[in-house]
Amino acid sequence: MSWQSYVDQHLMCEIEGQQGQHLSAAAIVGHDGSVWAKSSNFPELKANEVSDIMKDLDEPGHLAPTGLHLGGSKYMVIQGEPGAVIRGKKGPGGITIKKTGQALVLGIYEEPVTPGQCNMAVERLGDYLAEQGM
């Protein structure tokens, strides 16, 4: 399966039991910031944004004072799983980032999609990729 099909079929697909609802944007990005696959509307990443995310995963709390920036948008960092998951909130939407051995799985959502639905989609794929050695 190609990286793009993971994004299209597992992240941008319709949310289980919620007809017509799906994430706003999603991507799979290497730890070095290289984009492996993304939805057509995923924001353009700035180099320091991925390095800041990686630093927060290595040193939980790094992003809390400044917020998480992605494609120029700022998200308030909320609870996650230290070293594994970062969650952010921005107005009625937010972001979930799951770290695997080689990549970051990112999902962005807007209402009516809930934070829990985004978390489930992103973390489920991240867990699967991690189990595959990715």
Side-chain angles (χ1 to χ4, degrees), residues 32-83:
D32 62 356
S34 59
V35 177
W36 295 4
K38 64 179 186 150
S39 61
S40 59
N41 56 347
F42 193 81
E44 199 62 40
L45 293 172
K46 295 176 174 57
N48 65 315
E49 293 173 340
V50 175
S51 59
D52 282 346
I53 290 167
M54 290 302 296
K55 184 165 183 162
D56 191 79
L57 287 161
D58 291 338
E59 302 170 24
H62 169 72
L63 290 174
T66 58
L68 163 68
H69 291 81
L70 191 76
S73 291
K74 181 179 177 180
Y75 296 85
M76 179 178 65
V77 178
I78 55 176
Q79 102 292 352
E81 296 171 27

Side-chain angles (χ1 to χ4, degrees), residues 67-119:
L68 163 68
H69 291 81
L70 191 76
S73 291
K74 181 179 177 180
Y75 296 85
M76 179 178 65
V77 178
I78 55 176
Q79 102 292 352
E81 296 171 27
V85 178
I86 299 173
R87 298 184 183 110
K89 187 87 175 117
K90 180 182 144 202
I95 186 167
T96 302
I97 304 169
K98 169 73 175 179
K99 180 182 178 189
T100 71
Q102 299 176 31
L104 299 172
V105 180
L106 301 98
I108 299 172
Y109 68 93
E110 294 291 334
E111 285 183 336
V113 175
T114 66
Q117 290 168 324
C118 181
N119 296 345

